[in-house]
Structures are given as structure tokens and as C-alpha cells.
Amino acid sequence: MKNLDKILFFSSLISLISCAKQSAPTGGPRDEDPPQLLLMNPENQSLNTKPEQIILEFDEYIKLDNPNKNILITPRINKDELVVEALKNEVTLELNQELEENTTYVFNFQKSIQDLSEGNPAENLKLVFSTGDQIDSLSLSGNVNNYYPEGQPDFDDILIGLYPIGDTTDLFTGPPYYITQTDSLGNYTINNIKKGDYRAFAWRDENNTLKAEFKSEEYDFITDTLSIVENLTDLRFNLSASDITDFNLQRSSFTNGSYDLIFNKNPLEIELDHQEIGKSLFYTTEDKEIKIFSTESRSDSIAINLQLADSVGFKIDSSIWAKFPEMERQPEELTFSANSGKSFLNTLEAEIKFNKPITEINYDSLYIPIDSALIIQIKPEMVSFKDSLRRNTILFKIPIPDTLELQIYPLTLADSTFQDIQDQYNLEGLVANYRKIDPQTLGDEISGEINSQNGPFILRLMDSKEELYREIYLQDNTEFSFDKIEAGTYTIQVIEDKNGNRRWDPSNYYENKPAEKVYYYQNLENQSNEIIIKSGWTTEDLIIEPTKSTGFPEKIAVDNSEIEVDNQE
């Protein structure tokens, strides 16, 4: 009996040991090792090869992450014909197309190939081969900036592309011949370029089409032909938005009291030519729309010449025949809004915008109540129209006596204070509050100089909400000063207004015109563009350094040596 017990015990022990050997251990450390390449066919740096298929073999099972986006191939091939598959530890690319003669191809896999278990990407994985007897070795490198950054720099999805001169496509119509992507700092390099002449572009490819959408994606371009006969460095791009859609009038009609013109884009420069404009004819603007109003109905159509321009300078110069028949229904209600919440020092400056031109103002209904017995009555000399041809924005400049000690001043208007061009009155009143600033809380001054001679300059002092606090225009000098500033955090934006039209002009690719340059004050010590102002503070001697212009830095000779300077456009 004892022997039988021993036999059963050892049998059970052997069975347990046998089972333990067949079971996979659980748990353990996370696999952080990337897959290792074992074989590549064709081999890297191969010559005189025209593969129909590319095979990559790894030391473990792998998977693909969005290969159509993440595998960058130069020069351009037809990606619609390319088939990429992963099976076990092998990746296969079926090219399904004829490759060009005597051309170096680069397949940059970036992070598209990952291990199956943890998603670790294969590192520095690139295949270079030539269909001829040599590998093209020229390169182009540089950096990308953004003229209007939103928060922290974002260099995701930014592509740089080269198109050979004579190519029928461009950044809006097809993928480039050579392409690369920026790193996290905005730097880029295109390698293995064939000697030749190219056009160079950069853009933010948010929708992964390998081309730019000029209505929604920022871009930039080099205005001159890029001749690549040696390695080129420091080519700078500055991205900004620019809608270069054709500018056109889509439709026009009389609608409930106004003759409405509908455009595909916002008119930025507007000139309506008729002898009654500003007398019996007025107009307002809304989103992609101009509304023309008449003080009286008219039996005959009248010809009005339109001279308009959009943000990129495209023009409309034509005539329309406007109609103003008798109204058949009740006119649209008169509505308005005020810039309530603004601060002031000595003179309260208010603005009220209306949806229609204003013809009459009842000043008895306009006032600022101080207490139960005292008001500040608004007088005609305190009121003006921002544009006498539109009459839909009223500006107030109301002096406030120093003897008054209120902090909040409520600009008050009753119903029926304003009458519009269609004899409608405002049906509701309004109280818009404005805050008087205590002079003791103000910062004294921000002053300094722009280290550039490429004016005129528009200087915009922006508050912590990135809203415009104050703006100045420098016509013939580079020194600036902002005084009497509320305590807070600010930034200074500079626009180089090359054409002197007192606004920023975007690029126009079809006219080979670059965007006007935009940059910010930067504190080089702490790498911040913020300026902190406290009451009584004076911040002097700020130096605003321009960022690099689009293109290459110029080299000038100094004492038999060369130094680089910014190539101002």
C-alpha cells in the first residue's frame, strides 16, 4: 500500500512538471524594443534596379500604421496603384507601375511599421535605390515658421515639396516630385535630389492629400526658381492662409427693402459709383454680402458701378442695375449691438453697430445717468458716423469730468432713439457699461525699436486674450511707444506694410506675390514673447528682431569674408 502511494505521488509530480513546461509564462516586463530589419529586397543603395515588388522582413510580427500617409516616397509615384500589406513578420509593397530611368528612389517608412504586440515603430527605416548607375546625392534643408501662430508651435502635418520646372502640377493640383515632413521643431531635409531646377513649397496637409487646400490650409512658396546643383541649406518658409479662389458676384436681387449683392468671398475694398451714394443711397456689408438701401422707392432701375477687391487683390469692376420698388411687406426690424465692457481714461469712446443705415437720432433719449439728479446728456458733437456712406456704425466720444468718481458709466438709450433708412425705430433700449480707469493703476510706457528698415510698420499691442488693445502706424521711423497701459500681460505684433495700405496682405500664388511679413517681440533671455506691465512701470529699450524672411539668407562680403543677412523680400 505504501509503495502504491509512492507511485501515485511521483506520477502526479511528473504530470505537474510536464504541464508547467508546456504553459507560457504570464506577465513580465513590457516589450519596448522596436522591430529589427533582417532583410530588404532590393538592398539599400542598390543600383540599376527596377523592382516591381519591395519586401522587408523583420525579427518579429509586425503591423502597419496608415501606410498611405506615413510612407513618404520620392520622387513622386502613383500611390493609388501602390499596394502595401503586412503578413506575420513581412511587409510587401507592390508598386504596380513603371519607374523612371536613371532616377534615385527613396522610401522613407517613418513610423508606419510597428511591432504587433506593443506598437513600437521600426526606427530610421529607409530604402534608397537607383534605376540607373548612380545614387543622386543632393539635398535641401531649412526651417518652417508660422506668421500667425496659435498657442504653442504646431509642426504636425507640415510638408515641403519640390516640383520640377515644366511639371504641369503644383501644390494645389497634385503631389510634389520630392517631398518630406518637418520634425517637431519645424526643421526639414530632402535628400537624394537629382540635379535640376525646381519650384519649392511648404504647406500644412491636414487632410492627408499630399497637396494644399488654399481655402483651408496654410502654405508658402519660393517666388524664384530653385536651381539645385549643390547641397542647399537654410531655406525658410513662413506659412499663412490665403484664399486665391476667383472673386466673383454670385447673384443680386431686391430683398425686403435692400438690393443685395452676394459674393463668393468678402469684399475688402469697396467703391460704389453713383451720384446718390451718401445722399439717398447707402450701403452696409455683412458676410460676403453688400446691401444697398434707398431713402425712397424708384420706378426705374439705376446703374451702379462696382469697384471691389478681395484680400489677395482680385478685382471686380462692373455695373449692376439696382431696383428699389415699393415695399410689399413689413421691413426688417432695426437691431444693434454695442462694444460694452471697454475701459477708458478721460474720454468714453463707445461704438454702436446697426443692421441698417441710420437717418435720424433722438438725442434726448441718449444719456449717462450719474445719480438720481444728474445725467450726462449726449450732444450731437459727441457723435459721428464711422463711414458716412454706410451710416450703420455710430461712434461716441464723451468727455467725463475728473470730478466724477464713478467706476462704471452706463451709456443709456431708450427705445425709438434711432430711426433707420426704412423709417423703422429701435424697439428696445440699451444700457452699455464702460469702466473708467484709475490713472494710478496704469503702466507708464512700453517703448523700443524695430530692428528693420522694411517699413512702414503696423504695431499691434495684444492683450492676454490675443485681442487688439492698441495699434500704431510707423510711416518713416522704427521707434515706437505705447503709453498709459492697463496692468496686464501683452504681446507686440509687427506687420511690415510694404504697400502702405495699413493692413496685412496675404500671399497670391498666381501673381507670385509673397505675404507681408509678420513677427513678434521676443525676449531672448527667457524665450518668451510676453510683456508684463504693472502700475507705474516703464518698459524701455525693447528691440524687436524680425524673423527670417521666406527664402535663403543673403551673404554679403565684409573684410574679405562672408556673413549672412536676412533676405528681405
Side-chain angles (χ1 to χ4, degrees):
M1 190 70 179
K2 289 182 179 179
N3 290 335
L4 180 60
D5 290 341
K6 290 181 178 179
I7 292 171
L8 292 174
F9 171 77
F10 284 112
S11 297
S12 300
L13 181 61
I14 291 170
S15 177
L16 288 171
I17 293 172
S18 176
C19 291
K21 287 183 179 179
Q22 294 177 8
S23 299
T26 60
R30 181 179 182 273
D31 177 15
E32 296 183 355
D33 296 327
Q36 299 297 311
L37 182 68
L38 300 178
L39 177 146
M40 182 182 285
N41 187 19
E43 293 183 357
N44 192 35
Q45 302 292 317
S46 292
L47 301 178
N48 298 306
T49 182
K50 275 192 175 182
E52 297 179 356
Q53 183 186 71
I54 295 172
I55 298 174
L56 294 85
E57 184 179 326
F58 296 88
D59 65 344
E60 59 180 315
Y61 283 12
I62 45 82
K63 62 182 178 181
L64 294 171
D65 179 26
N66 197 359
N68 282 337
K69 175 182 179 181
N70 292 328
I71 300 177
L72 294 182
I73 304 172
T74 61
R76 175 179 58 215
I77 70 169
N78 187 351
K79 273 201 168 184
D80 291 339
E81 302 296 328
L82 180 69
V83 177
V84 185
E85 293 181 334
L87 180 62
K88 297 183 178 180
N89 68 326
E90 191 172 277
V91 173
T92 304
L93 290 81
E94 300 287 349
L95 301 184
N96 297 316
Q97 56 199 288
E98 186 74 15
L99 300 182
E100 296 182 27
E101 298 286 346
N102 299 313
T103 300
T104 298
Y105 284 87
V106 179
F107 287 70
N108 189 339
F109 294 91
Q110 301 192 102
K111 298 181 180 180
S112 61
I113 301 176
Q114 305 173 354
D115 66 32
L116 185 61
S117 59
E118 299 292 345
N120 300 311
E123 297 177 347
N124 303 316
L125 189 58
K126 184 185 292 186
L127 168 63
V128 180
F129 64 87
S130 175
T131 60
D133 57 8
Q134 65 179 9
I135 298 288
D136 295 322
S137 60
L138 296 178
S139 66
L140 171 70
S141 63
N143 184 266
V144 176
N145 182 40
N146 192 305
Y147 271 155
Y148 287 96
E150 295 182 2
Q152 293 297 318
D154 177 12
F155 297 107
D156 291 341
D157 303 318
I158 294 180
L159 302 181
I160 294 85
L162 296 177
Y163 293 76
I165 296 299
D167 196 333
T168 57
T169 60
D170 57 34
L171 79 161
F172 301 121
T173 59
Y177 193 73
Y178 291 105
I179 191 171
T180 193
Q181 197 165 16
T182 60
D183 63 18
S184 61
L185 298 177
N187 301 313
Y188 69 87
T189 301
I190 303 178
N191 292 311
N192 303 105
I193 303 172
K194 183 185 294 186
K195 178 181 177 181
D197 294 334
Y198 300 90
R199 293 171 299 154
F201 303 89
W203 67 96
R204 190 182 299 278
D205 188 31
E206 294 180 326
N207 58 359
N208 190 31
T209 61
L210 299 183
K211 58 182 181 179
E213 306 293 336
F214 52 72
K215 285 187 176 181
S216 58
E217 294 177 338
E218 302 159 310
Y219 61 91
D220 193 19
F221 55 92
I222 305 302
T223 57
D224 298 322
T225 297
L226 201 61
S227 183
I228 301 181
V229 295
E230 61 181 350
N231 293 339
L232 299 178
T233 60
D234 297 326
L235 182 62
R236 173 81 160 201
F237 293 94
N238 294 287
L239 303 184
S240 61
S242 177
D243 184 356
I244 52 176
T245 311
D246 286 339
F247 183 34
N248 56 67
L249 174 62
Q250 295 185 320
R251 64 183 185 276
S252 62
S253 63
F254 180 80
T255 307
N256 197 27
S258 62
Y259 194 80
D260 300 343
L261 311 176
I262 312 298
F263 303 88
N264 65 321
K265 294 196 288 183
N266 280 319
L268 196 60
E269 297 177 9
I270 300 174
E271 184 175 344
L272 305 185
D273 187 15
H274 189 278
Q275 64 270 21
E276 289 299 312
I277 294 291
K279 299 175 182 177
S280 63
L281 296 176
F282 301 90
Y283 69 94
T284 62
T285 57
E286 297 179 7
D287 184 34
K288 302 177 184 178
E289 185 176 13
I290 297 176
K291 290 177 172 286
I292 305 174
F293 295 84
S294 175
T295 57
E296 58 187 24
S297 59
R298 301 169 189 263
S299 57
D300 297 325
S301 300
I302 59 173
I304 301 176
N305 181 253
L306 308 178
Q307 296 184 34
L308 314 172
D310 67 4
S311 62
V312 296
F314 291 158
K315 292 178 169 52
I316 292 176
D317 188 349
S318 65
S319 295
I320 52 104
W321 289 88
K323 302 176 181 179
F324 299 96
E326 292 282 351
M327 292 281 292
E328 296 181 356
R329 53 180 175 158
Q330 180 69 21
E332 182 182 4
E333 180 181 332
L334 176 62
T335 60
F336 56 91
S337 62
N339 64 338
S340 181
K342 295 293 183 179
S343 302
F344 68 95
L345 187 57
N346 298 310
T347 301
L348 191 160
E349 297 188 7
E351 179 177 290
I352 300 180
K353 295 182 179 181
F354 300 84
N355 62 324
K356 291 186 284 184
I358 298 301
T359 55
E360 297 290 340
I361 301 174
N362 179 10
Y363 289 96
D364 291 340
S365 301
L366 268 172
Y367 59 93
I368 297 175
I370 303 303
D371 54 35
S372 58
L374 178 64
I375 65 170
I376 298 176
Q377 187 68 52
I378 309 303
K379 300 176 182 178
E381 58 266 26
M382 302 176 184
V383 180
S384 62
F385 286 105
K386 187 174 184 178
D387 187 332
S388 61
L389 303 183
R390 307 188 191 195
R391 296 177 68 95
N392 67 325
T393 301
I394 293 179
L395 304 178
F396 296 83
K397 288 191 175 182
I398 308 167
I400 302 299
D402 293 336
T403 55
L404 298 178
E405 297 182 353
L406 290 180
Q407 288 186 331
I408 303 299
Y409 288 77
L411 176 61
T412 304
L413 58 96
D415 62 276
S416 302
T417 299
F418 301 101
Q419 182 183 15
D420 69 24
I421 198 168
Q422 296 174 332
D423 297 330
Q424 301 296 299
Y425 292 91
N426 60 296
L427 300 179
E428 298 180 354
L430 173 73
V431 175
N433 292 318
Y434 298 86
R435 182 176 65 88
K436 188 175 183 181
I437 303 169
D438 180 357
Q440 301 298 320
T441 66
L442 293 176
D444 289 340
E445 184 183 32
I446 299 175
S447 63
E449 185 174 5
I450 306 169
N451 190 19
S452 171
Q453 299 300 319
N454 294 288
F457 301 101
I458 303 170
L459 267 76
R460 311 180 78 209
L461 187 64
M462 315 295 290
D463 65 19
S464 58
K465 298 179 181 179
E466 297 185 5
E467 295 179 352
L468 180 63
Y469 180 79
R470 200 175 298 169
E471 182 177 289
I472 58 177
Y473 193 79
L474 300 181
Q475 180 73 52
D476 300 314
N477 61 78
T478 59
E479 296 181 353
F480 66 89
S481 175
F482 298 98
D483 61 0
K484 305 300 182 184
I485 305 160
E486 292 183 81
T489 301
Y490 297 88
T491 57
I492 298 177
Q493 180 192 84
V494 179
I495 299 171
E496 292 186 355
D497 186 27
K498 292 184 66 174
N499 60 6
N501 64 358
R502 295 178 180 260
R503 67 168 186 265
W504 177 74
D505 289 306
S507 65
N508 187 328
Y509 169 65
Y510 293 133
E511 295 182 358
N512 205 35
K513 184 182 74 173
E516 289 183 328
K517 195 171 178 179
V518 181
Y519 44 91
Y520 297 78
Y521 166 74
Q522 182 81 18
N523 187 326
L524 298 180
E525 292 183 0
N526 57 20
Q527 296 298 309
S528 171
N529 62 356
E530 293 184 345
I531 303 170
I532 298 175
I533 296 298
K534 296 184 179 181
S535 58
W537 278 26
T538 296
T539 303
E540 299 176 313
D541 301 325
L542 298 182
I543 302 298
I544 301 179
E545 296 287 352
T547 55
K548 293 181 180 179
S549 300
T550 294
F552 292 104
E554 285 185 341
K555 293 182 179 180
I556 60 174
V558 178
D559 297 331
N560 297 321
S561 62
E562 286 188 341
I563 64 170
E564 288 187 351
V565 296
D566 190 24
N567 178 18
Q568 304 291 343
E569 297 137 341

